Amino acid sequence: MIDNELNEESEVRAKEIANESTLDAILVRIGEFGRFQLFNYVLLCLPMIFNAFQSISYVFTASSVVYRCNVTLCDSARSEYWEPWLNFTIPSTNSNFDQCHHYAIIHSSDVQLKCSAENFNSSQLENCNDYKFRDHEYTIANEFNFFCSNEWKLTMAGTFNNIGQFIGIPLGGLLADKFGRRTMLAIGGFLSSIMGLIKSFATNYSMFLTFETFDMIVGSTLYPTAFLLAIELVGPKRRVAAATIITMFYPLGEALLGVFAKQFQNWRILLRVLYAPAILHIFLLTLLPESIRWLLSQGKEGKAVAVLTEAAHVNGKFVPELNFINLMESNKQKLEDNAEEIYPIKDAIKVFFWRIANCSLCWFTHTLIALGLSLTSVNLGGNKYNNFIWNGLIQIPGLLLPLFVMDSLGRRISLFASMLTCALCMAATIFFAKYGEGVELALFLIGKFAITCSFQILYFFTSEIFPTKVRNSLLSLCSMVGRFGSMLAPQTPLLVNYYEFSPQILFASFALVSGCLTLLFPETANKTLPTTMAEASQLSKNVNHRKCNDN
């Protein structure tokens, strides 16, 4: 009798020790967000800002500039962009002067050639050979003479940038899994800095595009790697806050990019200002600890325990050595078990084909609109730099709102409502932009806020509608398909050559169609995260369960 009680007590105590020896339990014990985590978290916020610089600096370096024909009969070295004689020398539409043509000069022995209306034939146009510029902005358009029929070459910079991301994000993930997340973060940021600085010395268009692509191949991994390191540093109760806060530094980086671009309007100088400080990424190899979870996944339990011991010491906490011993033993057993598991990715694609297709369309729509709106911001009326700064800042509340609506309204309704709001704002722009730049900017910012909100919801939603074993793979697949949207987004400004509001019509159409299709997704709020394919298939049934936070 006494022996049985002792055995039961021993078993209970053994379970308690095992529970206390999980990584999450140890993180709670050493402090979920102590001085150790705070110092490293601040360091990880910096790559997020630099990644924003790298990802979208082409908005200004490859921007089109405002120009008009240099009318040789009237212009001089001292003449300005606006001159009173433009009315009879250059055709205009809606108060905008034609950038590529001027009225033909009448050559006659009877007429003295001077800057007067009688010397220009308003029924005949000639192509421009030289140009006058309104602003002091100097981009690759000025550098390589990309005007009129060659302006499409400017938008290709954005497409090549996103091709680099398409290659770099999965490649960076594979290398981070093999060599370590800290290592990839430090080396990727350092190499991106080198690529950006070389790009600032580009002597021709091909060289610029080449290093724009290489820049993102090596640097696009900064965002996902810094994000993962940040949420792995903290305890379970602080992960949502940690994930939300660190993502805010990306739009903050966009806003800072607008500030720097406003101050440094020469594209070469701007690139050097943005990329030179990023060389300091290399010091993360000594300042940052390696990811504890990555060390454990590689069977490097000793190094993982060393990081945890240092964290406990810095935070002034004590963790019994037995907890570390049990963590190492359980991790070894887990690695052995995982080695025998089979990940049925092909079966999952067959079972969830329509769900994956719908999810991929949703990702495509979000990358197209989110990036497309950022690029459109510099073409709105008013100051392009201020518009872009607002474009970055409005994303911060857009990242916060989902925390308050996802559980109360549900993922599906929240996603649909956000996308519908974006579609309505884009459509409203067509009818109300005529009432002034302020109205157009307000509608634009509400639309940007809405698509940012829905994009944040989509990240959570996608991770909840697929089973555990294939969750990461299918999330990556949907994200990869979505990257095609960001490749096309840089071309959307060219649509204004056909109709002023063509980009808004495109964005509204995709947001409306894809938004309606999100209603076909199963609701995941207050439901257990699916572990098996059978459980994932059952999500569409209206059976609520207590949500499990760790699968």
Side-chain angles (χ1 to χ4, degrees):
M1 181 82 175
I2 295 175
D3 291 340
N4 289 336
E5 291 180 356
L6 290 174
N7 289 334
E8 289 178 2
E9 289 179 2
S10 298
E11 290 177 2
V12 170
R13 181 55 185 158
K15 290 181 180 179
E16 290 177 352
I17 293 173
N19 290 333
E20 292 172 357
S21 301
T22 63
L23 179 56
D24 281 346
I26 292 175
L27 287 173
V28 171
R29 189 151 192 165
I30 66 176
E32 294 197 66
F33 202 83
R35 285 179 296 172
F36 178 84
Q37 288 97 330
L38 179 60
F39 174 76
N40 291 298
Y41 190 85
V42 171
L43 286 179
L44 289 169
C45 289
L46 298 178
M48 301 292 279
I49 294 176
F50 283 118
N51 187 240
F53 294 166
Q54 298 155 357
S55 299
I56 205 166
S57 61
Y58 64 85
V59 170
F60 297 105
T61 59
S63 172
S64 60
V65 293
V66 180
Y67 58 92
R68 65 166 176 82
C69 284
N70 182 11
V71 183
T72 55
L73 193 59
C74 300
D75 272 308
S76 66
R78 294 182 179 181
S79 58
E80 301 291 337
Y81 177 81
W82 299 104
E83 293 289 350
W85 39 259
L86 292 176
N87 291 324
F88 60 79
T89 59
I90 297 178
S92 63
T93 304
N94 298 325
S95 300
N96 296 316
F97 290 106
D98 191 323
Q99 293 184 303
C100 304
H101 303 91
H102 64 78
Y103 291 133
I105 298 174
I106 299 174
H107 295 278
S108 174
S109 58
D110 299 329
V111 180
Q112 182 181 0
L113 288 179
K114 61 180 181 178
C115 188
S116 58
E118 61 267 19
N119 286 325
F120 291 87
N121 182 359
S122 60
S123 62
Q124 184 179 351
L125 298 178
E126 292 183 355
N127 293 328
C128 301
N129 295 317
D130 195 14
Y131 304 92
K132 279 285 183 179
F133 304 98
R134 187 187 67 183
D135 307 310
H136 297 293
E137 184 180 16
Y138 191 78
T139 72
I140 66 169
N142 311 72
E143 188 79 40
F144 305 128
N145 294 315
F146 292 153
F147 305 115
C148 299
S149 61
N150 286 323
E151 277 198 359
W152 64 270
K153 293 181 179 180
L154 298 174
T155 63
M156 289 304 296
T159 296
F160 273 77
N161 177 288
N162 283 280
I163 290 174
Q165 292 188 50
F166 184 79
I167 299 170
I169 290 176
L171 179 62
L174 291 173
L175 293 175
D177 287 342
K178 184 174 181 60
F179 299 107
R181 290 170 186 168
R182 176 193 62 180
T183 303
M184 198 59 209
L185 187 69
I187 295 177
F190 176 77
L191 290 177
S192 177
S193 174
I194 300 300
M195 296 298 141
L197 290 174
I198 295 175
K199 180 170 57 178
S200 74
F201 290 96
T203 56
N204 54 61
Y205 179 58
S206 298
M207 182 178 176
F208 179 86
L209 284 187
T210 298
F211 285 96
E212 183 75 41
T213 308
F214 285 164
D215 176 15
M216 294 316 300
I217 289 177
V218 298
S220 58
T221 188
L222 293 185
Y223 185 106
T225 306
F227 179 84
L228 286 174
L229 278 168
I231 63 174
E232 289 177 355
L233 275 172
V234 302
K237 293 182 179 179
R238 299 288 183 268
R239 279 188 196 135
V240 173
T244 303
I245 292 171
I246 196 169
T247 55
M248 291 181 187
F249 280 83
Y250 185 90
L252 180 61
E254 286 193 16
L256 287 175
L257 171 61
V259 173
F260 286 130
K262 190 175 183 178
Q263 297 300 316
F264 305 98
Q265 296 190 17
N266 183 300
W267 72 277
R268 294 186 187 274
I269 296 174
L270 176 62
L271 284 177
R272 291 161 196 168
V273 169
L274 296 176
Y275 280 86
I279 291 178
L280 298 177
H281 274 95
I282 198 67
F283 292 105
L284 294 178
L285 287 171
T286 57
L287 293 173
L288 270 180
E290 184 52 270
S291 163
I292 298 169
R293 294 185 187 274
W294 180 81
L295 291 170
L296 291 174
S297 72
Q298 301 298 307
K300 300 179 180 181
E301 292 87 0
K303 291 184 178 180
V305 168
V307 174
L308 290 169
T309 303
E310 181 188 359
H313 174 72
V314 172
N315 290 347
K317 302 292 184 178
F318 172 75
V319 180
E321 186 177 353
L322 182 60
N323 292 127
F324 291 137
I325 294 173
N326 288 333
L327 175 65
M328 290 191 289
E329 292 179 352
S330 65
N331 186 69
K332 290 177 181 177
Q333 183 62 47
K334 185 185 294 185
L335 291 177
E336 292 177 4
D337 294 340
N338 288 342
E340 299 174 358
E341 289 186 1
I342 299 174
Y343 295 86
I345 185 66
K346 291 183 179 179
D347 294 338
I349 291 176
K350 290 180 181 178
V351 173
F352 303 111
F353 177 80
W354 291 112
R355 191 178 296 181
I356 294 169
N358 194 3
C359 188
S360 297
L361 174 63
C362 202
W363 273 85
F364 176 90
T365 299
H366 278 82
T367 57
L368 173 69
I369 298 175
L371 181 57
L373 288 180
S374 292
L375 301 178
T376 302
S377 65
V378 297
N379 296 324
L380 298 175
N383 187 289
K384 64 186 288 186
Y385 303 101
N386 292 340
N387 291 345
F388 191 81
I389 292 170
W390 282 113
N391 165 75
L393 294 177
I394 197 64
Q395 296 176 56
I396 295 177
L399 293 170
L400 286 172
L401 183 62
L403 298 178
F404 302 99
V405 300
M406 281 195 302
D407 289 330
S408 58
L409 298 179
R411 273 59 161 164
R412 185 172 54 184
I413 296 300
S414 299
L415 184 60
F416 168 72
S418 299
M419 297 182 73
L420 180 62
T421 301
C422 178
L424 291 175
C425 287
M426 294 299 100
T429 302
I430 302 171
F431 302 101
F432 297 104
K434 61 184 177 182
Y435 293 108
E437 296 172 356
V439 174
E440 184 180 18
L441 180 61
L443 290 171
F444 166 84
L445 292 176
I446 296 172
K448 182 67 176 182
F449 167 83
I451 200 65
T452 302
C453 179
S454 63
F455 213 158
Q456 184 81 331
I457 297 169
L458 183 62
Y459 268 101
F460 284 94
F461 207 2
T462 308
S463 66
E464 295 173 340
I465 59 177
F466 298 119
T468 301
K469 289 184 179 180
V470 293
R471 184 173 297 138
N472 187 65
S473 299
L474 294 183
L475 173 60
S476 298
L477 175 62
C478 295
S479 176
M480 185 175 69
V481 173
R483 187 58 57 186
F484 286 102
S486 61
M487 290 182 197
L488 292 175
Q491 306 302 320
T492 56
L494 295 176
L495 295 174
V496 298
N497 294 325
Y498 302 97
Y499 177 56
E500 181 181 0
F501 297 107
S502 293
Q504 286 83 352
I505 293 174
L506 178 69
F507 298 150
S509 300
F510 269 97
L512 182 62
V513 172
S514 183
C516 290
L517 289 175
T518 60
L519 296 175
L520 299 177
F521 284 126
E523 182 55 71
T524 59
N526 302 314
K527 291 187 179 181
T528 303
L529 290 179
T531 301
T532 65
M533 287 194 289
E535 291 176 356
S537 298
Q538 294 295 316
L539 279 176
S540 56
K541 294 187 177 182
N542 295 321
V543 180
N544 290 332
H545 301 281
R546 183 179 179 180
K547 187 176 179 179
C548 176
N549 293 319
D550 188 16
N551 270 287

